[in-house]
Amino acid sequence: LATSSIKHNTLCVASIVRYKRKYVTQILYAPL
Amino acid sequence: SSVDVEQELALNAIRQVLKSKTSYDVLPVSFRLIVLDTSLLVKKALNVLLQNSIVSAPLWDATTSRFAGLLTSDDFINVIQYCFSNPDKFDLVEKLQLNRLRDIERAIGAKPLETTSIHPSSSLYEACTVMLRSKSRRVPLIDKDEETHREIVVSVLTQYRLLKFIALNCRETHFLKKPISELNIISNSTVRSCSMTTPVIDVIQLLSEGNISSVPIVNENGVLVNVYEAVDVLGLIKGGIYNDLSLSVGEALMRRSDDFEGVYTCTENEKLSTLLDTIRKSSVHRFFVVNESGQLVGVLSLGDLLRYILVGS
Amino acid sequence: EGNSGVAILPTSLPQLHRANMLSSGLLQNSNIHPLVSKKSKTKWHFGIRSRSYPLDVMGEIYIALKNLGAEWAKPSEEDLWTIRVRWKYSGSNQIANNEANNSQNQNNEKIPDLLKIVIQLFQIETNNYLVDFKFDGWEDSSGAPVTPSDITSDEISAFSAYPFLHLTTRLIMELAVNS
């Protein structure tokens, strides 16, 4: 799990996922 | 003529490529996808879009563990129109969550944004046809988790990405040499324009009613001087100046950040080969067709280009 | 290529537009400033960092997990700094209800509802610790096996990270609120 500092009361987490033969960095923004 | 024959042969070759390649093939080997939880506030989501220099993002509803459509500039246009028709409800916008945007859409009677999606392994040709039908001019690629059957938003294809893929991978584009004036693809009779002093709220109404993504700004001689784009609305809301809608469109454009690349123009003699080459090199949103004196003749959107490549004039 | 007529409209460039607006006297509202174009690049970290005393960190994590209704395996004596978590994922019930009441989808497959996460505390340097979160697969509350036997985890090519990302945001929020 990758995280970035909480800004504007918004959380941002990410995970690098393989999709078939490619790599997607899924980044999710959610409210704190 | 040989130019006609070459054009037809090139179009057929490009269509074959679109039928033989999948949307998965367009994806870079490594890329990021920004997704917004539907419980986020609209104004926070706006910060995320601007901070990441993007104008749209897929939504994720954690309560149902499903993809919940796309956030696009149309949603922000709906919010501005809602504020304009409900002046007493400004504080509501401050607390508006993404999962309430459909209510706003209904409240102003806007046409809902369909969230047609396609599977990443479907053909590019299918992606083009779905995209040309969609109001949002982009199409999410959705797959299912093999273990849990939950939806995965793999990416979102846009018209620009598709045209850029064609420009980068189909050398047949060099043979598209007929002038665009002969292709019957320029929208000229229906182009709505405005002047620099038109109130920005009137321009936003034009965007919404006409389901268009830009309104050209012309001077008293009909010369094109600038363009107000749907994505400019994000800057308007960010500045909180959406409540001061007496603003002229010229003043609203003062919000544009310095990294805006500018409005692309061309003449009626332009060929698709040079337009696609421009798309290959720069992030073009559309082409405005002007005559020798710079007067507006019409507009050529990326959708018009894509539609011509897919089905001809 | 012949000469291309494609051009960028000079008056549409932001700096020129602002100059024209100022010189033409069309500007009534003078306090409109351009959006900042320099975006601070997102700085990423692995997991979450902490300078608290290690045992306090572990205690806070257990309290947060308990508040969120998660369960965990009893840690072994030799590895106090790893927590194996199992979390009933509410989203799955919703999917089950959407697709069929008895949490089976059309092709009669189980929809696993227990998401597993491994939380581990690492020491980066003196008084500087890192809490790492790793996805550890799915289980089904009925105990039925989940991963289709014919697919090894290497071959899985379509995996949804969202439930994992969602639950870690819940846990991070709980930790942030508690602390």
Side-chain angles (χ1 to χ4, degrees):
Chain A
L1 179 83
T3 62
S4 86
S5 321
I6 297 174
K7 267 188 224 152
H8 310 295
N9 261 358
T10 304
L11 258 183
C12 174
V13 292
S15 205
I16 300 179
V17 181
R18 175 170 60 79
Y19 178 73
K20 297 190 190 329
R21 292 184 316 286
K22 301 196 175 175
Y23 294 87
V24 195
T25 300
Q26 302 275 13
I27 301 174
L28 177 68
Y29 283 88
L32 185 58
Chain B
S1 72
S2 64
V3 171
D4 288 316
V5 172
E6 278 180 357
Q7 182 110 342
E8 212 38 50
L9 289 173
L11 286 172
N12 287 331
I14 293 168
R15 288 166 191 155
Q16 282 317 310
V17 170
L18 292 177
K19 287 174 182 166
S20 67
K21 292 292 179 195
T22 66
S23 302
Y24 171 82
D25 295 325
V26 177
L27 302 178
V29 170
S30 167
F31 62 98
R32 66 175 189 170
L33 179 72
I34 286 171
V35 178
L36 305 173
D37 184 300
T38 49
S39 58
L40 259 182
L41 290 179
V42 167
K43 55 186 283 197
K44 305 285 188 196
L46 178 59
N47 284 337
V48 172
L49 296 182
L50 292 172
Q51 188 189 326
N52 291 281
S53 304
I54 54 179
V55 295
S56 173
L59 303 177
W60 181 260
D61 183 340
T63 56
T64 60
S65 191
R66 297 187 94 105
F67 164 62
L70 293 175
L71 173 67
T72 70
S73 49
D74 286 351
D75 294 305
F76 293 103
I77 287 176
N78 292 345
V79 167
I80 284 193
Q81 290 188 300
Y82 179 81
C83 287
F84 192 68
S85 30
N86 301 277
D88 54 321
K89 298 248 175 62
F90 274 131
D91 58 327
L92 174 137
V93 173
E94 290 300 305
K95 301 190 278 292
L96 186 66
Q97 285 186 326
L98 292 173
N99 48 29
R100 301 293 314 283
L101 285 171
R102 297 292 73 86
D103 303 336
I104 296 284
E105 196 174 74
R106 275 189 291 274
I108 64 166
K111 186 169 164 271
L113 200 63
E114 71 297 300
T115 49
T116 319
S117 61
I118 55 170
H119 192 278
S121 58
S122 53
S123 77
L124 281 182
Y125 196 87
E126 183 190 340
C128 290
T129 29
V130 168
M131 199 180 300
L132 288 174
R133 275 199 309 261
S134 93
K135 187 171 175 256
S136 63
R137 300 176 180 85
R138 55 196 69 229
V139 63
L141 303 182
I142 306 275
D143 194 350
K144 285 228 167 178
D145 182 305
E146 274 156 27
E147 275 190 288
T148 66
H149 315 294
R150 284 185 179 81
E151 286 181 333
I152 311 170
V153 183
V154 176
S155 184
V156 180
L157 265 196
T158 62
Q159 293 175 344
Y160 174 74
R161 287 294 310 278
L162 264 171
L163 287 167
K164 182 163 184 173
F165 180 85
I166 292 169
L168 282 167
N169 295 285
C170 303
R171 62 179 169 283
E172 290 83 1
T173 53
H174 296 305
F175 298 102
L176 300 173
K177 293 197 172 307
K178 286 179 72 172
I180 54 176
S181 56
E182 294 176 21
L183 307 180
N184 186 25
I185 58 176
I186 303 171
S187 312
N188 35 30
S189 54
T190 58
V191 177
R192 306 161 183 222
S193 61
C194 68
S195 77
M196 205 56 95
T197 54
T198 306
V200 68
I201 187 61
D202 295 351
V203 177
I204 290 172
Q205 306 273 15
L206 275 180
L207 290 169
S208 174
E209 285 151 17
N211 181 25
I212 49 180
S213 57
S214 69
V215 175
I217 302 171
V218 297
N219 69 10
E220 55 285 357
N221 309 313
V223 172
L224 181 69
V225 286
N226 211 323
V227 174
Y228 193 78
E229 301 184 341
V231 292
D232 288 313
V233 162
L234 276 66
L236 208 56
I237 297 187
K238 171 70 181 161
I241 44 183
Y242 49 89
N243 46 0
D244 170 11
L245 292 171
S246 62
L247 274 182
S248 71
V249 66
E251 289 172 319
L253 282 177
M254 303 279 281
R255 287 290 288 160
R256 252 184 198 154
S257 75
D258 287 343
D259 54 11
F260 175 72
E261 285 207 23
V263 170
Y264 280 85
T265 62
C266 69
T267 64
E268 288 186 295
N269 307 318
E270 208 49 70
K271 306 168 195 110
L272 282 195
S273 53
T274 46
L275 297 184
L276 286 166
D277 197 46
T278 307
I279 288 171
R280 183 176 60 82
K281 294 179 290 197
S282 322
S283 59
V284 183
H285 299 172
R286 60 192 67 73
F287 291 95
F288 282 89
V289 185
V290 294
N291 62 19
E292 295 72 31
S293 14
Q295 286 166 317
L296 180 67
V297 169
V299 61
L300 191 56
S301 68
L302 300 185
D304 297 329
L305 280 175
L306 205 50
R307 189 173 293 104
Y308 172 73
I309 290 175
L310 233 62
V311 295
S313 296
Chain C
E1 285 297 318
N3 56 331
S4 155
V6 174
I8 289 181
L9 186 64
T11 49
S12 68
L13 294 169
Q15 300 85 344
L16 274 179
H17 172 71
R18 284 197 286 273
N20 289 340
M21 284 298 288
L22 287 167
S23 61
S24 64
L26 288 176
L27 200 56
Q28 314 297 331
N29 186 328
S30 57
N31 64 342
I32 301 178
H33 306 292
L35 278 171
V36 173
S37 48
K38 293 282 159 285
K39 274 116 191 154
S40 56
K41 273 194 78 55
T42 308
K43 261 179 71 61
W44 292 102
H45 313 280
F46 272 115
I48 50 181
R49 288 154 298 156
S50 166
R51 292 189 178 279
S52 307
Y53 187 55
L55 275 179
D56 292 347
V57 178
M58 297 307 282
E60 282 189 30
I61 294 172
Y62 279 112
I63 291 168
L65 288 169
K66 184 169 170 29
N67 294 348
L68 292 167
E71 51 186 17
W72 54 87
K74 190 173 179 324
S76 59
E77 275 311 310
E78 54 278 2
D79 188 0
L80 290 172
W81 310 109
T82 301
I83 309 175
R84 296 187 178 286
V85 181
R86 215 166 52 172
W87 210 325
K88 190 159 183 60
Y89 185 64
S90 60
S92 57
N93 297 343
Q94 196 71 33
I95 288 192
N97 296 341
N98 287 347
E99 292 182 350
N101 286 334
N102 56 354
S103 85
Q104 308 222 323
N105 63 7
Q106 280 87 357
N107 348 330
N108 224 6
E109 286 146 340
K110 272 278 170 211
I111 294 183
D113 53 355
L114 292 177
L115 189 147
K116 295 194 295 178
I117 295 179
V118 174
I119 301 175
Q120 193 158 357
L121 187 72
F122 290 94
Q123 175 164 16
I124 303 176
E125 59 201 3
T126 323
N127 291 339
N128 192 355
Y129 300 90
L130 172 124
V131 184
D132 181 50
F133 302 80
K134 254 191 303 293
F135 173 71
D136 190 31
W138 290 90
E139 267 180 21
D140 190 88
S141 43
S142 67
V146 170
T147 313
S149 50
D150 55 338
I151 299 184
T152 67
S153 62
D154 269 3
E155 286 164 352
I156 285 194
S157 61
F159 156 75
S160 175
Y162 298 107
F164 168 64
L165 293 176
H166 171 63
L167 287 181
T168 51
T169 56
R170 299 279 311 282
L171 184 48
I172 292 171
M173 281 177 224
E174 190 68 23
L175 288 167
V177 166
N178 293 353
S179 68

